[in-house]
Amino acid sequence: MAAHSHPKRGTVLVADDDPVMRLLMLEMLAQVGLDAVEAEDGPAAIASFQRRPPDLVLLDVDMPNMDGFAVCRAIRALGAPGAQGGDGAPAATPAAATVPIIMVTGGDDLEAVTQAYEAGATDFVSKPINWPILGHRVLYVLRASDAIARLRVADAHNRAVLAAIPDTFFRLDRDGVYLDYEQGHEAGSTFPLDHCVGRHVSEVLPQHIAGHLLEQARAVLSSQQIRSFDYELQLGEQPRHFEARLVSTGAGDVLGLVRDISERKRTEEQIRRLAYCDSLTGIPNRQAFLELLERELDHSRQACKKFAVLFMDLDSFKRINDTLGHNVGDLLLQTVSERLRETIRPSDVVSHMASGNHLARLGGDEFTILIPDLDRVEDALAVAQRVKDAMRRPFQLDGNEIFVTASIGISLYPEDGEDSESLLKYADTAMYHAKNCGKNNAKLYSSSLTMQIMSHVKLEVGLRKALQNNELYLLYQPQIDVPSSQIVGVEALVRWRHPEHGIIPPNDFIPLAEETGLIVPIGEWVLRTACSQAKAWQQTCRRAIRMAVNLSARQFKDENLTQIVLSALGDTGLEPRLLELELTEGTLMDDARATMAMLDQLRRIGVLLSIDDFGTGYSSMSYLKRFDVRALKIDKSFIIGLPEDTENAAITRAIIAMAHGLKMIVVAEGVETDEQLALLEKYGCDMAQGFYLGRPSPQESITQMLKVQRAPTSTATPAAPAPPVTPAAR
Ligand code: C2E
Ligand code: MG
Ligand code: MG
């Protein structure tokens, strides 16, 4: 049988008072694989439906008692929400509302067709029935109803989703007219897009937002990709932020989801504040400044503009913190940042930067200022000057009147650096330079400064190796007894033969050696080398030549100094009276008590002591007397202008007279001319040293000079100093 060739596809309720018709219908349905249930009139059909809802109802219009229209209406009524089954039957299923109902109408009864639809029919079949087609017709309606049912489920699903999410959703047609609008449950009463279905976006939203929305909607339609954008609406007191997400429905319109993100924005802003603001002063912090700098770099690069970075550090902040406490320290920093803010005039503020603020606190007492669009370097210096002035006004904090000064370093884009890190670093370096130059100072970074510092670092590394690599050597400068013109002593002067930089004079590395403490081993080497040289001359030339050795302050403070001197003398066999230690006024004045003790110990050893560069320090005469040193060396700055410089001539004469009064002998340094020597002789100067009498020279040249002068026989010695100038050995 044909029926067996089809799988079961559903159950059809056939309601007809004519048994023949029912039979035929059953047969036709069976042929397309459908089951059927029969009902011989309306009430029977309704009862059957209630017992077991079929997948489709085939309903004859003309039936006694209750016509097909009434039955159709009754079935639909069963599916209405809250419907009760008749005769105490259980509540009907919702299937009654959607089950497909096909009405069988008579002939060309148009009226019946209309009535059927009004009663809720899905389709109709008119008599005479085209029997071969009937089964297929039913199948077709079943399939359609199935599709509708699935759509209904999908729709319900979508509605459930939309109801569950907090967003507002809307649908726009391609012209920008609202097709749908559903307010999200979290959109609140503040959301403005109420009652907008059928209206154009430009009637509902502010112009700029509407324009943007339309633009984005068009882009979504053409690209078929999701787009999202944020916008801000001023609603009541506060602006609210929204995020709209647009997606194409695939049917030529656009679905939009709008979320109120005001809360999120607020949190983000708070996080941003925490991340970019200095909590103590409320101004931007290091991170913010670095990002600002990056933006300024981009801008200045494109616009070919210059800008400056100022790095400010308070000069005595640590002292204030330590003495007045951290509370006052914090107050000071807050007040300083306020003053800085006021000091940076609006003209320094950048117009192209939304944030506008270019003052930042990097931490501690370090502040930075970015000066964009700089025309001239002087403008940066002027800002620095204003900052310094602002800091100099006394601060009244917590009952204390506080005075501070600031040191400022300035780096320039693009001259000094082309990236934020370098610019900040160089401004910092310049600030340190400013501090070193005596605080309350502003200094521009210039590349020479890095060179200095770079070579300083390299020099230190090199100096550490200089001793072990034998790069140090001594030159000796003769010291002449003025009346006899005889060489009576030499001064040992150290040199460094640097493997790359050549010969480096002591003034370029002794300060570094002092700073690093390397002067102690270097000084010891100088002492031993000089002592052994003096001993050698004593032996080879048979002349007792006094060896003068310079001592730096750091060496003088070294507890082991006497030990070092003693062992140098002991190891070389030089008599103490032939060693003279030169000390500067500064070294002696530092700590009077310790100085006296050390001088005492040295005197007990038997070495001679002299004051070097006399006149450049601030020694008081009474101190000099107590120190009881053998000689004063008048600094060359007094000698150089002689004899024309009458003032210095008078000073020189006074020093000589005074020293003699204190029973000290006087050595004049820096004697370069015949006239100078003659004048010094006239003033009664005891000894002289200088280029005219002999440059600092290697040991061999001195040996030569000593041999020439060998065995001076009092008056027979030529008055003029023997070969006055040895070749420059520097
Ligand atoms: P100083 O002790 O006053 O040495 C005299 C300096 O004057 C030497 O410079 C010498 O070359 C220079 N001089 C000598 N005669 C003349 C002259 O007629 N005209 C001019 N214009 N200059 C003259 P130098 O050798 O460069 O030494 C500079 C300073 O370095 C020394 O000044 C001394 O303070 C220090 N120094 C040198 N060697 C040593 C050392 O071994 N240890 C320590 N601690 N310091 C040293
Ligand atoms: Mg000296
Ligand atoms: Mg000197």
Side-chain angles (χ1 to χ4, degrees):
M1 242 173 88
H4 294 292
S5 61
H6 294 278
K8 290 283 180 253
R9 287 166 168 177
T11 307
V12 179
L13 170 61
V14 176
D16 203 313
D17 56 324
D18 183 343
V20 179
M21 287 294 274
R22 293 206 302 269
L23 195 67
L24 277 169
M25 283 178 182
L26 257 56
E27 181 53 34
M28 289 304 123
L29 294 172
Q31 276 188 12
V32 293
L34 292 167
D35 273 345
V37 183
E38 298 174 59
E40 71 279 356
D41 61 9
I46 295 166
S48 167
F49 192 97
Q50 281 182 302
R51 268 197 310 279
R52 190 163 162 259
D55 298 304
L56 185 139
V57 181
L58 204 50
L59 190 59
D60 186 23
V61 169
D62 293 317
M63 286 189 292
N65 303 330
M66 195 176 185
D67 67 15
F69 304 124
V71 177
C72 185
R73 269 193 296 274
I75 290 176
R76 289 295 184 225
L78 288 175
Q84 289 292 314
D87 304 323
T93 62
T98 56
V99 67
I101 300 176
I102 301 175
M103 301 277 270
V104 183
T105 60
D108 300 322
D109 190 352
L110 202 62
E111 172 66 11
V113 171
T114 314
Q115 244 183 303
Y117 280 128
E118 280 169 3
T122 312
D123 201 359
F124 67 94
V125 177
S126 48
K127 289 176 183 169
I129 289 170
N130 183 345
W131 291 109
I133 291 225
L134 181 70
H136 295 285
R137 181 81 182 252
V138 169
L139 273 184
Y140 179 83
V141 172
L142 267 176
R143 204 168 63 210
S145 102
D146 198 39
I148 289 169
R150 274 205 304 273
L151 268 181
R152 216 174 266 128
V153 169
D155 188 52
H157 182 250
N158 288 346
R159 302 229 153 246
V161 169
L162 289 172
I165 60 172
D167 307 17
T168 290
F169 102 94
F170 61 83
R171 210 153 50 84
L172 285 184
D173 71 9
R174 58 174 62 247
D175 298 321
V177 173
Y178 285 98
L179 300 173
D180 267 320
Y181 178 84
E182 196 78 47
Q183 180 135 308
H185 61 79
E186 271 182 20
S189 55
T190 49
F191 200 74
L193 303 178
D194 252 339
H195 312 298
C196 50
V197 174
R199 288 162 71 187
H200 191 261
V201 286
S202 59
E203 298 172 65
V204 178
L205 288 168
Q207 216 48 52
H208 66 286
I209 300 174
H212 193 58
L213 173 57
L214 281 175
E215 200 178 290
Q216 295 291 317
R218 265 178 229 126
V220 164
L221 286 176
S222 66
S223 70
Q224 295 293 310
Q225 276 174 351
I226 298 179
R227 294 223 167 195
S228 61
F229 62 96
D230 289 6
Y231 58 94
E232 195 185 297
L233 279 179
Q234 189 69 37
L235 302 170
E237 299 277 287
Q238 283 199 340
R240 295 187 74 87
H241 294 268
F242 298 97
E243 181 190 64
R245 226 167 240 280
L246 302 182
V247 55
S248 160
T249 61
D253 45 42
V254 169
L255 184 75
L257 288 165
V258 178
R259 181 167 295 192
D260 186 338
I261 53 166
S262 309
E263 201 54 47
R264 193 180 86 200
K265 283 273 176 192
R266 253 194 298 283
T267 316
E268 280 172 4
E269 177 54 29
Q270 215 161 354
I271 291 171
R272 215 192 67 83
R273 253 209 309 278
L274 285 176
Y276 289 98
C277 269
D278 174 49
S279 55
L280 180 65
T281 60
I283 63 175
N285 62 10
R286 171 185 289 269
Q287 186 56 33
F289 190 76
L290 285 174
E291 289 182 19
L292 179 82
L293 210 51
E294 286 298 338
R295 288 199 296 277
E296 185 54 38
L297 274 167
D298 279 348
H299 166 79
S300 296
R301 229 174 258 138
Q302 276 166 20
C304 290
K305 297 246 180 188
K306 296 172 177 227
F307 69 88
V309 175
L310 260 69
F311 197 113
M312 185 199 95
D313 185 285
L314 295 178
D315 288 328
S316 39
F317 183 66
K318 190 176 159 1
R319 201 195 67 220
I320 290 161
N321 237 355
D322 291 348
T323 54
L324 299 174
H326 288 260
N327 282 349
V328 175
D330 284 356
L331 262 176
L332 175 64
L333 291 176
Q334 286 165 342
T335 320
V336 162
S337 84
E338 273 161 36
R339 276 199 196 170
L340 285 174
R341 225 194 311 233
E342 290 160 19
T343 306
I344 300 160
R345 277 198 319 234
S347 65
D348 305 331
V349 176
V350 223
S351 51
H352 64 270
M353 271 178 211
S355 67
N357 202 349
H358 53 300
L359 167 70
R361 177 178 171 230
L362 295 198
D365 57 343
E366 295 175 344
F367 292 85
T368 44
I369 297 165
L370 182 101
I371 307 173
D373 295 349
L374 194 72
D375 290 329
R376 305 169 319 142
V377 180
E378 287 79 359
D379 298 342
L381 288 169
V383 175
Q385 186 58 47
R386 285 210 303 277
V387 168
K388 279 198 319 178
D389 291 347
M391 292 303 118
R392 262 221 300 272
R393 294 201 314 272
F395 289 84
Q396 306 290 347
L397 302 175
D398 208 16
N400 302 287
E401 184 168 63
I402 294 171
F403 293 88
V404 297
T405 53
S407 294
I408 300 171
I410 304 169
S411 66
L412 303 172
Y413 170 87
E415 289 90 336
D416 296 333
E418 303 210 9
D419 63 283
S420 55
E421 205 183 309
S422 308
L423 286 165
L424 202 57
K425 192 176 80 194
Y426 294 157
D428 187 15
T429 306
M431 186 276 292
Y432 270 101
H433 186 55
K435 267 201 200 299
N436 286 334
C437 292
K439 306 194 170 170
N440 190 26
N441 234 314
K443 288 280 174 215
L444 284 166
Y445 176 86
S446 64
S447 12
S448 64
L449 188 64
T450 9
M451 295 290 288
Q452 269 175 33
I453 285 160
M454 286 292 291
S455 62
H456 197 266
V457 171
K458 277 202 199 139
L459 212 62
E460 184 182 333
V461 174
L463 190 56
R464 286 184 188 281
K465 293 196 210 130
L467 255 183
Q468 68 204 52
N469 291 354
N470 273 328
E471 289 165 13
L472 298 180
Y473 66 97
L474 295 184
L475 294 181
Y476 304 92
Q477 185 173 35
Q479 294 180 332
I480 308 295
D481 173 62
V482 175
S484 69
S485 302
Q486 288 295 305
I487 298 175
V488 289
V490 292
E491 179 178 1
L493 296 162
V494 69
R495 297 288 182 271
W496 176 12
R497 190 180 288 111
H498 191 280
E500 286 162 41
H501 301 306
I503 291 168
I504 302 181
N507 284 338
D508 287 1
F509 70 89
I510 293 288
L512 179 65
E514 292 215 33
E515 213 176 280
T516 53
L518 283 168
I519 191 65
V520 174
I522 290 175
E524 187 174 349
W525 176 86
V526 169
L527 197 65
R528 285 177 167 277
T529 312
C531 287
S532 106
Q533 184 57 55
K535 184 71 191 173
W537 279 323
Q538 199 177 11
Q539 287 170 340
T540 57
C541 307
R542 305 228 188 80
R543 292 277 301 274
I545 290 296
R546 214 170 22 243
M547 176 62 72
V549 172
N550 294 284
L551 274 197
S552 79
R554 182 94 175 229
Q555 287 172 279
F556 190 69
K557 288 202 185 78
D558 184 6
E559 301 169 347
N560 298 322
L561 180 62
T562 44
Q563 222 23 68
I564 290 169
V565 173
L566 275 173
S567 82
L569 290 169
D571 292 352
T572 58
L574 186 72
E575 297 156 58
R577 66 175 182 96
L578 292 181
L579 177 62
E580 176 158 34
L581 298 178
E582 294 191 2
L583 301 158
T584 61
E585 292 171 79
T587 305
L588 293 172
M589 302 303 289
D590 210 22
D591 175 356
R593 192 175 305 181
T595 300
M596 296 305 291
M598 180 55 85
L599 288 177
D600 239 31
Q601 289 183 38
L602 292 172
R603 247 191 311 265
R604 242 177 272 150
I605 295 173
V607 297
L608 307 173
L609 300 166
S610 60
I611 298 180
D612 202 356
D613 304 340
F614 185 78
T616 57
Y618 306 92
S619 333
S620 79
M621 284 304 155
S622 61
Y623 264 59
L624 278 186
K625 193 162 177 265
R626 282 167 56 197
F627 290 147
D628 191 17
V629 296
R630 184 188 80 102
L632 276 192
K633 295 183 75 179
I634 304 179
D635 190 66
K636 54 181 174 286
S637 58
F638 295 99
I639 311 297
I640 290 218
L642 301 188
E644 294 79 10
D645 186 336
T646 50
E647 208 169 289
N648 275 337
I651 293 172
T652 303
R653 192 153 78 173
I655 292 175
I656 293 170
M658 176 211 68
H660 285 165
L662 291 172
K663 309 238 164 2
M664 287 190 252
I665 64 159
V666 179
V667 183
E669 289 189 303
V671 178
E672 294 184 349
T673 66
D674 195 5
E675 291 88 346
Q676 288 169 347
L677 187 63
L679 191 69
L680 288 164
E681 187 169 16
K682 198 176 113 193
Y683 291 161
C685 185
D686 307 286
M687 288 171 52
Q689 180 183 347
F691 292 169
Y692 176 66
L693 302 159
R695 287 189 177 255
S697 313
Q699 159 278 114
E700 301 82 4
S701 314
I702 301 293
T703 308
Q704 260 334 99
M705 290 165 77
L706 290 174
K707 279 182 181 157
V708 170
Q709 286 198 350
R710 188 180 298 234
T713 47
S714 57
T715 48
T717 321
V725 181
T726 40
R730 211 183 120 170

